[in-house]
Structures are given as C-alpha cells and as structure tokens.
Amino acid sequence: MGCGTTSHGALLAAAPLASPRPRLLALSPPPSTPSIQIQNRLYSISQLPLLKARGKGRCEASLASNYTQTSEFADLDWENLGFGLVQTDYMYIAKCGLDGNFDKGEMVPFGPIEMNPSSGVLNYGQGLFEGLKAYRKSDGSILLFRPLENAMRMQTGAERMCMPAPPVEQFVDAVKQTVLANKRWVPPTGKGSLYIRPLLVGSGAVLGLAPAPEYTFIIFASPVGNYFKEGLAPINLIVEDKFHRAAPGGTGGVKTIGNYASVLMAQKIAKEKGYSDVLYLDAVHKKYLEEVSSCNIFVVKGNVISTPAIKGTILPGITRKSIIDVALSKGFQVEERLVSVDELLDADEVFCTGTAVVVSPVGSITYQGKRIEYAGNQGVGAVSQQLYTSLTSLQMGQVEDPMGWTVQLN
C-alpha cells in the first residue's frame, strides 16, 4: 500500500472518504474589532470567519503581504510572560482530501475543532508540528525568522509519515496571515515573541492501520517568554541512559508528535529530582550524545564547538543550523560528528539550542551520579553569551541581517 493512499477496507464503513470541514468554536470573541485588508478589500476582523475559500485545488495563496491591521496591544502582563498557551484571536485552517491537494484555507476564531474519534492522528499518531517565532521591532514592524526552513522541514516529515504537505508557498503565506491576524499579541520589543505552531494531522477516519484519507493543516499562535524558567541562566541536565528518545530507522529525525510523548516519563522523573531537563544518548552504543527533550546540544572545547551529527535520530533544528553558521562567522571551528559522554564531561562549556529556548547555557551535567559544573559568568559561558546575543539581535532586527534569514511583514 503506497503512502497517501488508503484501502477501502481500512475505512470506517459509515464514514465518508472526506468529512465536512470541522465546526470551529470561538472560546471568546476578541475584545475589539480592528480592520484587516485582504487583497485590497477591507474587512472587519469580526467578518473573517464568514470568508470561505473559493473552491479546492492546488494552493493559490492569498497574498498575505497585502494584509494591514490596525490594533493595540492585547491586555496582557508583558513583563511576566512564561512559556505557556495564551489564547489569541484567530487561527488558520486548511483541508486536504484524497487528491493530495490542500484547499486555500481560511482564518477562523481560535477555538476547539471537531474530530472523528477514528481519525488517523488520534488512533495512529499520524501528525507533525513545527515551531517558529515572530518578533516586534522597535519601529513596530514584525519579523519572522526563517519560515521557509520550517515549511521545507514539514515536507520532509510529511513524506516520512505518509502524509501530503502544504506547498511551501502556502505554508509561509499561512504563517504570515496568522501573525497579522493576531498582531496585537506580538509582544513589545524585548518582552518576548509570538510563538507560531503549525500542525499537520491525519484528520480523516480510519479503523485499520493505514494513512488517513483526509488531512488538516492548522496554525495557531501564542505570545511567549522564556522556555526555561531560568531564562538566560544555566540549566541543569541529567544524562539518561535507560530511556531513549529515538532509534536508528525510526522517526527521531522528523518532528512527529510521537517523538515528544515518548520523552515525558524521563522528563517527569528528572524534574521531580530538580533537574531542568534530560539529555539522551544513542540507543545502540549508549555513549554518544543525541539531544535534549526538545532541543539540540553543543559542546565547547577551546575554539572548537562540537554537536552530534544529523543521522536520522536527531532533529535537524533550525536554530541549530543557524547557530552553526553564526559560530563559523565568528571564527569558531564547528564539528558535526559523534560526541561522546566523556567529551561532554570534559568540556569547557555546554549549551542547548532550539526555537523555544534559542540558546540555553548548561550549568551542570549529572551522569551516573557524577555531577560536573561548568564555569562562566554566573554560569553563563562566554561562547553561549556571544552566540545568544548575536542570534537574538538578528532575530529582533537590532542589527543588519547579512544571512537573509528574517522576513519583514509590514
């Protein structure tokens, strides 16, 4: 049976091949009704749920660059943002049927969606997600960071999970639409970022094990502060040598939802013991570093920065990729290879990278009862600080972007 196809015997007998668009419910109406311009026509934001996509077929993305929105900041304590869900106003949703083509999608009020209890994602975990951020510049304009990379990574993951993926153009345009529709939730400069969560799930009903007959692409967003409560302060990791995040030939190299459920037990145990998170080893030799629960790991020794090579069990992080390029531009030698626990324990400095954490210095590592602490300015190593400052300054538009990584929305 080929990917993206489903045998009739795998479908629920009473279920149609393509169910109607889910009913979407608003949790609460937005407190104001700003206007938004779509393709040179001005609408009230309250009218947006009534704007239906004109038919289905290959993506003909509505030009999100034509959006303009007038709104104030949301009523939120911007000084004390954590990393948790804050319900914003709107989300994007698009559908894909058996023909493998996504409809144009639409903006709808943020809220619950209906889903068949026999959907592919609920029964067989057929789902992917992405994560990226939008930042507000001091002049009020908004920057996205490398959305094209997220779009391409979702396509890679979708192929591995036997799912159709939205075209790159539709993905990027949908991200832009979602950010602009929720513009008042983008934190003031220096107060955080708008975390954007694209989801691709098998929403069609199946009973036997098979790819779903229908897929739903959703994007929602939430303003966030620091992922770790420590902020840019050292975190404390424990090396896990019993549980494993991924194995060769599995799905560790793509951002499928099941990768994250599998780390919850080890993470729970670690946090109960006072650690910030867990660092996993390879499942074969049990001595080479892989990654932390939701971020990549880097080890510094002198002028050399080493990180585990991408070999199918490690997620190719976009922040990881960016930090490597920034480090090279600063004159560091960067090595992508097998990195052993012994090297970790002998390192001058260790840090993690990811969309949520950006760069997070590691203050201590505990392995088989032995604790190693890393020196630095209050636990923050000089290399971590330099790379964090360089990358965040670029992401927030405080310096020129020679890499061409940022996308300005307005």
PDB file of all heavy atoms in Angstrom, residues 108-134:
ATOM      1  N   VAL A 108     -10.042  31.628  11.034  1.00  0.00           N
ATOM      2  CA  VAL A 108     -11.248  31.425  11.839  1.00  0.00           C
ATOM      3  C   VAL A 108     -10.927  31.792  13.281  1.00  0.00           C
ATOM      4  O   VAL A 108      -9.761  31.841  13.675  1.00  0.00           O
ATOM      5  CB  VAL A 108     -11.735  29.961  11.750  1.00  0.00           C
ATOM      6  CG1 VAL A 108     -12.122  29.596  10.321  1.00  0.00           C
ATOM      7  CG2 VAL A 108     -10.684  29.004  12.275  1.00  0.00           C
ATOM      8  N   PRO A 109     -11.946  32.037  14.121  1.00  0.00           N
ATOM      9  CA  PRO A 109     -11.665  32.313  15.532  1.00  0.00           C
ATOM     10  C   PRO A 109     -10.945  31.142  16.186  1.00  0.00           C
ATOM     11  O   PRO A 109     -11.259  29.981  15.915  1.00  0.00           O
ATOM     12  CB  PRO A 109     -13.057  32.506  16.138  1.00  0.00           C
ATOM     13  CG  PRO A 109     -13.924  32.899  14.993  1.00  0.00           C
ATOM     14  CD  PRO A 109     -13.389  32.153  13.808  1.00  0.00           C
ATOM     15  N   PHE A 110     -10.004  31.442  17.046  1.00  0.00           N
ATOM     16  CA  PHE A 110      -9.307  30.381  17.768  1.00  0.00           C
ATOM     17  C   PHE A 110     -10.301  29.627  18.646  1.00  0.00           C
ATOM     18  O   PHE A 110     -11.127  30.220  19.331  1.00  0.00           O
ATOM     19  CB  PHE A 110      -8.207  30.968  18.649  1.00  0.00           C
ATOM     20  CG  PHE A 110      -7.475  29.932  19.459  1.00  0.00           C
ATOM     21  CD1 PHE A 110      -6.386  29.277  18.927  1.00  0.00           C
ATOM     22  CD2 PHE A 110      -7.898  29.586  20.739  1.00  0.00           C
ATOM     23  CE1 PHE A 110      -5.713  28.299  19.661  1.00  0.00           C
ATOM     24  CE2 PHE A 110      -7.232  28.620  21.477  1.00  0.00           C
ATOM     25  CZ  PHE A 110      -6.146  27.970  20.938  1.00  0.00           C
ATOM     26  N   GLY A 111     -10.225  28.306  18.627  1.00  0.00           N
ATOM     27  CA  GLY A 111     -11.116  27.515  19.460  1.00  0.00           C
ATOM     28  C   GLY A 111     -11.035  26.047  19.143  1.00  0.00           C
ATOM     29  O   GLY A 111     -10.224  25.610  18.315  1.00  0.00           O
ATOM     30  N   PRO A 112     -11.879  25.250  19.796  1.00  0.00           N
ATOM     31  CA  PRO A 112     -11.857  23.797  19.586  1.00  0.00           C
ATOM     32  C   PRO A 112     -12.232  23.419  18.162  1.00  0.00           C
ATOM     33  O   PRO A 112     -12.911  24.170  17.467  1.00  0.00           O
ATOM     34  CB  PRO A 112     -12.920  23.281  20.572  1.00  0.00           C
ATOM     35  CG  PRO A 112     -13.101  24.375  21.570  1.00  0.00           C
ATOM     36  CD  PRO A 112     -12.856  25.647  20.825  1.00  0.00           C
ATOM     37  N   ILE A 113     -11.791  22.250  17.734  1.00  0.00           N
ATOM     38  CA  ILE A 113     -12.198  21.703  16.453  1.00  0.00           C
ATOM     39  C   ILE A 113     -12.843  20.346  16.695  1.00  0.00           C
ATOM     40  O   ILE A 113     -12.507  19.634  17.641  1.00  0.00           O
ATOM     41  CB  ILE A 113     -11.024  21.550  15.469  1.00  0.00           C
ATOM     42  CG1 ILE A 113      -9.965  20.598  16.038  1.00  0.00           C
ATOM     43  CG2 ILE A 113     -10.406  22.906  15.150  1.00  0.00           C
ATOM     44  CD1 ILE A 113      -8.878  20.239  15.055  1.00  0.00           C
ATOM     45  N   GLU A 114     -13.787  19.982  15.848  1.00  0.00           N
ATOM     46  CA  GLU A 114     -14.376  18.658  15.917  1.00  0.00           C
ATOM     47  C   GLU A 114     -13.487  17.681  15.153  1.00  0.00           C
ATOM     48  O   GLU A 114     -12.929  18.018  14.108  1.00  0.00           O
ATOM     49  CB  GLU A 114     -15.777  18.655  15.301  1.00  0.00           C
ATOM     50  CG  GLU A 114     -16.828  19.303  16.189  1.00  0.00           C
ATOM     51  CD  GLU A 114     -18.233  19.134  15.631  1.00  0.00           C
ATOM     52  OE1 GLU A 114     -18.363  18.664  14.477  1.00  0.00           O
ATOM     53  OE2 GLU A 114     -19.190  19.484  16.328  1.00  0.00           O
ATOM     54  N   MET A 115     -13.369  16.472  15.678  1.00  0.00           N
ATOM     55  CA  MET A 115     -12.572  15.466  15.002  1.00  0.00           C
ATOM     56  C   MET A 115     -13.185  14.094  15.243  1.00  0.00           C
ATOM     57  O   MET A 115     -13.633  13.791  16.350  1.00  0.00           O
ATOM     58  CB  MET A 115     -11.131  15.502  15.507  1.00  0.00           C
ATOM     59  CG  MET A 115     -10.189  14.617  14.722  1.00  0.00           C
ATOM     60  SD  MET A 115      -8.451  14.921  15.127  1.00  0.00           S
ATOM     61  CE  MET A 115      -8.220  16.551  14.403  1.00  0.00           C
ATOM     62  N   ASN A 116     -13.207  13.285  14.184  1.00  0.00           N
ATOM     63  CA  ASN A 116     -13.738  11.935  14.296  1.00  0.00           C
ATOM     64  C   ASN A 116     -12.890  11.129  15.289  1.00  0.00           C
ATOM     65  O   ASN A 116     -11.653  11.185  15.226  1.00  0.00           O
ATOM     66  CB  ASN A 116     -13.705  11.264  12.914  1.00  0.00           C
ATOM     67  CG  ASN A 116     -14.515   9.982  12.872  1.00  0.00           C
ATOM     68  OD1 ASN A 116     -14.266   9.054  13.636  1.00  0.00           O
ATOM     69  ND2 ASN A 116     -15.485   9.924  11.964  1.00  0.00           N
ATOM     70  N   PRO A 117     -13.498  10.386  16.213  1.00  0.00           N
ATOM     71  CA  PRO A 117     -12.698   9.603  17.166  1.00  0.00           C
ATOM     72  C   PRO A 117     -11.836   8.538  16.495  1.00  0.00           C
ATOM     73  O   PRO A 117     -10.909   8.022  17.103  1.00  0.00           O
ATOM     74  CB  PRO A 117     -13.755   8.968  18.082  1.00  0.00           C
ATOM     75  CG  PRO A 117     -15.030   9.051  17.333  1.00  0.00           C
ATOM     76  CD  PRO A 117     -14.939  10.277  16.485  1.00  0.00           C
ATOM     77  N   SER A 118     -12.123   8.223  15.227  1.00  0.00           N
ATOM     78  CA  SER A 118     -11.311   7.260  14.492  1.00  0.00           C
ATOM     79  C   SER A 118     -10.320   7.935  13.547  1.00  0.00           C
ATOM     80  O   SER A 118      -9.808   7.319  12.624  1.00  0.00           O
ATOM     81  CB  SER A 118     -12.201   6.295  13.689  1.00  0.00           C
ATOM     82  OG  SER A 118     -11.436   5.220  13.194  1.00  0.00           O
ATOM     83  N   SER A 119     -10.038   9.201  13.779  1.00  0.00           N
ATOM     84  CA  SER A 119      -9.088   9.916  12.919  1.00  0.00           C
ATOM     85  C   SER A 119      -7.700   9.295  13.036  1.00  0.00           C
ATOM     86  O   SER A 119      -7.326   8.719  14.068  1.00  0.00           O
ATOM     87  CB  SER A 119      -9.031  11.392  13.302  1.00  0.00           C
ATOM     88  OG  SER A 119      -8.527  11.538  14.615  1.00  0.00           O
ATOM     89  N   GLY A 120      -6.924   9.440  11.962  1.00  0.00           N
ATOM     90  CA  GLY A 120      -5.592   8.857  11.925  1.00  0.00           C
ATOM     91  C   GLY A 120      -4.675   9.374  13.008  1.00  0.00           C
ATOM     92  O   GLY A 120      -3.876   8.631  13.575  1.00  0.00           O
ATOM     93  N   VAL A 121      -4.789  10.655  13.348  1.00  0.00           N
ATOM     94  CA  VAL A 121      -3.898  11.225  14.346  1.00  0.00           C
ATOM     95  C   VAL A 121      -4.234  10.714  15.744  1.00  0.00           C
ATOM     96  O   VAL A 121      -3.338  10.458  16.557  1.00  0.00           O
ATOM     97  CB  VAL A 121      -3.915  12.772  14.306  1.00  0.00           C
ATOM     98  CG1 VAL A 121      -5.276  13.337  14.703  1.00  0.00           C
ATOM     99  CG2 VAL A 121      -2.802  13.345  15.184  1.00  0.00           C
ATOM    100  N   LEU A 122      -5.514  10.522  16.051  1.00  0.00           N
ATOM    101  CA  LEU A 122      -5.897  10.070  17.379  1.00  0.00           C
ATOM    102  C   LEU A 122      -5.607   8.581  17.591  1.00  0.00           C
ATOM    103  O   LEU A 122      -5.298   8.152  18.703  1.00  0.00           O
ATOM    104  CB  LEU A 122      -7.385  10.333  17.624  1.00  0.00           C
ATOM    105  CG  LEU A 122      -7.814  11.800  17.689  1.00  0.00           C
ATOM    106  CD1 LEU A 122      -9.304  11.911  17.970  1.00  0.00           C
ATOM    107  CD2 LEU A 122      -7.031  12.560  18.761  1.00  0.00           C
ATOM    108  N   ASN A 123      -5.705   7.795  16.522  1.00  0.00           N
ATOM    109  CA  ASN A 123      -5.520   6.357  16.661  1.00  0.00           C
ATOM    110  C   ASN A 123      -4.103   5.887  16.372  1.00  0.00           C
ATOM    111  O   ASN A 123      -3.610   4.961  17.014  1.00  0.00           O
ATOM    112  CB  ASN A 123      -6.498   5.620  15.742  1.00  0.00           C
ATOM    113  CG  ASN A 123      -7.932   5.719  16.234  1.00  0.00           C
ATOM    114  OD1 ASN A 123      -8.410   4.819  16.909  1.00  0.00           O
ATOM    115  ND2 ASN A 123      -8.609   6.816  15.928  1.00  0.00           N
ATOM    116  N   TYR A 124      -3.446   6.510  15.415  1.00  0.00           N
ATOM    117  CA  TYR A 124      -2.141   6.016  14.988  1.00  0.00           C
ATOM    118  C   TYR A 124      -1.034   7.068  15.035  1.00  0.00           C
ATOM    119  O   TYR A 124       0.072   6.830  14.549  1.00  0.00           O
ATOM    120  CB  TYR A 124      -2.252   5.411  13.579  1.00  0.00           C
ATOM    121  CG  TYR A 124      -3.239   4.265  13.534  1.00  0.00           C
ATOM    122  CD1 TYR A 124      -4.380   4.328  12.746  1.00  0.00           C
ATOM    123  CD2 TYR A 124      -3.032   3.128  14.320  1.00  0.00           C
ATOM    124  CE1 TYR A 124      -5.298   3.284  12.728  1.00  0.00           C
ATOM    125  CE2 TYR A 124      -3.943   2.083  14.312  1.00  0.00           C
ATOM    126  CZ  TYR A 124      -5.074   2.157  13.517  1.00  0.00           C
ATOM    127  OH  TYR A 124      -5.969   1.124  13.512  1.00  0.00           O
ATOM    128  N   GLY A 125      -1.335   8.218  15.610  1.00  0.00           N
ATOM    129  CA  GLY A 125      -0.301   9.228  15.803  1.00  0.00           C
ATOM    130  C   GLY A 125       0.226   9.852  14.532  1.00  0.00           C
ATOM    131  O   GLY A 125       1.367  10.318  14.493  1.00  0.00           O
ATOM    132  N   GLN A 126      -0.602   9.881  13.478  1.00  0.00           N
ATOM    133  CA  GLN A 126      -0.149  10.436  12.211  1.00  0.00           C
ATOM    134  C   GLN A 126      -0.256  11.956  12.257  1.00  0.00           C
ATOM    135  O   GLN A 126      -1.264  12.553  11.893  1.00  0.00           O
ATOM    136  CB  GLN A 126      -0.971   9.865  11.047  1.00  0.00           C
ATOM    137  CG  GLN A 126      -0.305  10.086   9.701  1.00  0.00           C
ATOM    138  CD  GLN A 126      -1.133   9.581   8.549  1.00  0.00           C
ATOM    139  OE1 GLN A 126      -2.348   9.393   8.663  1.00  0.00           O
ATOM    140  NE2 GLN A 126      -0.502   9.364   7.403  1.00  0.00           N
ATOM    141  N   GLY A 127       0.793  12.573  12.737  1.00  0.00           N
ATOM    142  CA  GLY A 127       0.778  14.024  12.884  1.00  0.00           C
ATOM    143  C   GLY A 127       2.172  14.602  13.008  1.00  0.00           C
ATOM    144  O   GLY A 127       3.115  13.929  13.444  1.00  0.00           O
ATOM    145  N   LEU A 128       2.319  15.836  12.600  1.00  0.00           N
ATOM    146  CA  LEU A 128       3.569  16.587  12.671  1.00  0.00           C
ATOM    147  C   LEU A 128       3.284  17.968  13.224  1.00  0.00           C
ATOM    148  O   LEU A 128       2.145  18.464  13.150  1.00  0.00           O
ATOM    149  CB  LEU A 128       4.187  16.771  11.285  1.00  0.00           C
ATOM    150  CG  LEU A 128       4.649  15.554  10.489  1.00  0.00           C
ATOM    151  CD1 LEU A 128       4.816  15.961   9.021  1.00  0.00           C
ATOM    152  CD2 LEU A 128       5.955  15.017  11.041  1.00  0.00           C
ATOM    153  N   PHE A 129       4.305  18.610  13.761  1.00  0.00           N
ATOM    154  CA  PHE A 129       4.150  20.023  14.090  1.00  0.00           C
ATOM    155  C   PHE A 129       5.451  20.752  13.818  1.00  0.00           C
ATOM    156  O   PHE A 129       6.510  20.144  13.672  1.00  0.00           O
ATOM    157  CB  PHE A 129       3.675  20.225  15.532  1.00  0.00           C
ATOM    158  CG  PHE A 129       4.721  19.977  16.594  1.00  0.00           C
ATOM    159  CD1 PHE A 129       5.514  21.011  17.066  1.00  0.00           C
ATOM    160  CD2 PHE A 129       4.881  18.712  17.154  1.00  0.00           C
ATOM    161  CE1 PHE A 129       6.458  20.793  18.055  1.00  0.00           C
ATOM    162  CE2 PHE A 129       5.821  18.484  18.142  1.00  0.00           C
ATOM    163  CZ  PHE A 129       6.612  19.519  18.604  1.00  0.00           C
ATOM    164  N   GLU A 130       5.360  22.057  13.742  1.00  0.00           N
ATOM    165  CA  GLU A 130       6.515  22.924  13.589  1.00  0.00           C
ATOM    166  C   GLU A 130       6.452  24.013  14.658  1.00  0.00           C
ATOM    167  O   GLU A 130       5.444  24.173  15.352  1.00  0.00           O
ATOM    168  CB  GLU A 130       6.546  23.554  12.194  1.00  0.00           C
ATOM    169  CG  GLU A 130       7.079  22.641  11.109  1.00  0.00           C
ATOM    170  CD  GLU A 130       8.552  22.301  11.291  1.00  0.00           C
ATOM    171  OE1 GLU A 130       9.311  23.158  11.807  1.00  0.00           O
ATOM    172  OE2 GLU A 130       8.954  21.185  10.928  1.00  0.00           O
ATOM    173  N   GLY A 131       7.523  24.749  14.797  1.00  0.00           N
ATOM    174  CA  GLY A 131       7.545  25.868  15.728  1.00  0.00           C
ATOM    175  C   GLY A 131       8.455  26.953  15.183  1.00  0.00           C
ATOM    176  O   GLY A 131       9.578  26.667  14.765  1.00  0.00           O
ATOM    177  N   LEU A 132       7.967  28.172  15.169  1.00  0.00           N
ATOM    178  CA  LEU A 132       8.784  29.322  14.756  1.00  0.00           C
ATOM    179  C   LEU A 132       8.282  30.552  15.478  1.00  0.00           C
ATOM    180  O   LEU A 132       7.260  30.498  16.163  1.00  0.00           O
ATOM    181  CB  LEU A 132       8.772  29.513  13.244  1.00  0.00           C
ATOM    182  CG  LEU A 132       7.466  29.865  12.531  1.00  0.00           C
ATOM    183  CD1 LEU A 132       7.781  30.519  11.174  1.00  0.00           C
ATOM    184  CD2 LEU A 132       6.605  28.631  12.278  1.00  0.00           C
ATOM    185  N   LYS A 133       8.992  31.644  15.336  1.00  0.00           N
ATOM    186  CA  LYS A 133       8.657  32.832  16.119  1.00  0.00           C
ATOM    187  C   LYS A 133       8.579  34.096  15.256  1.00  0.00           C
ATOM    188  O   LYS A 133       9.232  34.197  14.218  1.00  0.00           O
ATOM    189  CB  LYS A 133       9.700  33.063  17.218  1.00  0.00           C
ATOM    190  CG  LYS A 133       9.625  32.076  18.368  1.00  0.00           C
ATOM    191  CD  LYS A 133      10.692  32.372  19.397  1.00  0.00           C
ATOM    192  CE  LYS A 133      10.582  31.474  20.617  1.00  0.00           C
ATOM    193  NZ  LYS A 133      11.663  31.749  21.588  1.00  0.00           N
ATOM    194  N   ALA A 134       7.777  35.044  15.755  1.00  0.00           N
ATOM    195  CA  ALA A 134       7.705  36.391  15.191  1.00  0.00           C
ATOM    196  C   ALA A 134       8.122  37.380  16.274  1.00  0.00           C
ATOM    197  O   ALA A 134       7.770  37.212  17.446  1.00  0.00           O
ATOM    198  CB  ALA A 134       6.289  36.697  14.702  1.00  0.00           C
TER     199      ALA A 134
END
